[in-house]
Amino acid sequence: MVQSLLDWSEVWALLIPLVAYSFHRQQPAYFKPVVVYLCGALLLNLAIDFIGDFKAYLPNWLQSNLILYAVHSLFRLVCFVYFFARLHQSHFRLFRRFLPWLYLLLITVNYLFLEDYLDKNQLSGNLFTIEAYCLLIYCLLFYLSQLRTDVESLQDDQEFWIVTGLSIYVVVNFFIFLFYVPMLRENSMLAEHMWSVHNVAYIILCLFITKALYVPVRPVY
């Protein structure tokens, strides 16, 4: 029962910030990409978990949910890149503009030489790892920019809670993504337990986004 609840946390955890948002719709512009991500992730994760649990009842062409994991990874990156772009931080702009191109370069190299993007039976651990790496750099640049800005208390900023939740998620999962596929081949049970760690980190991300909704919006936005 507990494991099933944890397995489906990628769905129900998203409902926490979405329900909170339904009561706090007056949010700054930079929050919109986060809301788009929450809604899109809910649909994607619902389909992923449904296929994973009920694939025996589905046609052969619909029994793999790995392509949806890849779509989710790309969708999450796009939404949060847009989120960081809308923060309008004055520091490290050139570096932030370079990061999407770095992502495209790494993905291209990955699928040209390392992985087959048409393989529906292989989870792309490299794709998730590259995503986590790029998002982690965005998070670090955010903190460095905040340190250069005269901010009285970071905890009074909505974006601080969102970025902190995202930072926890990518830091916890970076090595899980990196070693998940080899681990799956060597010890599938251990790999499943490690994915539960990913789910816990995902719950934390959703809780931090929810926390951000209850932080008063600064007048400048």
Side-chain angles (χ1 to χ4, degrees):
M1 178 63 181
V2 175
Q3 186 60 48
S4 296
L5 188 65
L6 193 58
D7 291 341
W8 279 82
S9 62
E10 293 175 311
V11 174
W12 61 257
L14 290 162
L15 295 175
I16 301 174
L18 283 173
V19 170
Y21 175 73
S22 68
F23 294 101
H24 300 81
R25 288 184 173 271
Q26 299 300 320
Q27 298 298 327
Y30 63 73
F31 208 94
K32 291 180 180 179
V34 180
V35 176
V36 171
Y37 170 71
L38 294 173
C39 295
L42 179 63
L43 296 176
L44 286 169
N45 287 346
L46 184 61
I48 287 170
D49 288 353
F50 181 83
I51 293 173
D53 283 2
F54 301 102
K55 62 182 179 181
Y57 304 97
L58 300 174
N60 292 333
W61 61 272
L62 198 57
Q63 290 185 0
S64 176
N65 57 13
L66 298 183
I67 184 62
L68 294 179
Y69 273 111
V71 171
H72 188 169
S73 175
L74 179 60
F75 177 67
R76 178 166 51 225
L77 180 86
V78 170
C79 288
F80 279 103
V81 166
Y82 192 35
F83 160 76
F84 282 108
R86 303 199 76 169
L87 291 181
H88 300 299
Q89 291 185 305
S90 58
H91 304 290
F92 309 109
R93 285 183 177 178
L94 183 61
F95 200 1
R96 284 198 297 270
R97 290 175 181 173
F98 169 73
L99 280 175
W101 298 105
L102 175 63
Y103 173 82
L104 290 176
L105 174 63
L106 293 175
I107 289 300
T108 301
V109 171
N110 176 62
Y111 285 123
L112 282 178
F113 302 105
L114 301 176
E115 294 182 334
D116 181 4
Y117 70 93
L118 295 176
D119 188 356
K120 297 189 297 183
N121 299 313
Q122 177 68 56
L123 181 69
S124 179
N126 291 344
L127 176 66
F128 280 90
T129 303
I130 294 169
E131 177 215 346
Y133 174 74
C134 291
L135 288 179
L136 179 58
I137 294 178
Y138 271 107
C139 292
L140 292 175
L141 292 177
F142 168 83
Y143 290 125
L144 289 173
S145 181
Q146 291 297 92
L147 289 174
R148 291 191 173 190
T149 306
D150 185 17
V151 180
E152 294 183 0
S153 177
L154 288 176
Q155 296 182 5
D156 294 334
D157 296 336
Q158 283 186 314
E159 58 266 35
F160 167 79
W161 292 100
I162 298 172
V163 175
T164 300
L166 182 62
S167 300
I168 293 172
Y169 176 78
V170 296
V171 168
V172 169
N173 288 298
F174 180 80
F175 289 103
I176 293 178
F177 294 151
L178 185 61
F179 297 112
Y180 183 77
V181 173
M183 193 186 308
L184 194 61
R185 294 171 183 155
E186 297 295 329
N187 190 332
S188 59
M189 184 172 295
L190 178 60
E192 291 179 6
H193 289 318
M194 292 305 295
W195 198 257
S196 294
V197 176
H198 161 273
N199 289 346
V200 171
Y202 198 71
I203 295 172
I204 293 173
L205 169 61
C206 292
L207 291 176
F208 272 66
I209 293 174
T210 305
K211 167 64 178 177
L213 286 164
Y214 291 90
V215 175
V217 179
R218 290 184 299 178
V220 292
Y221 290 104

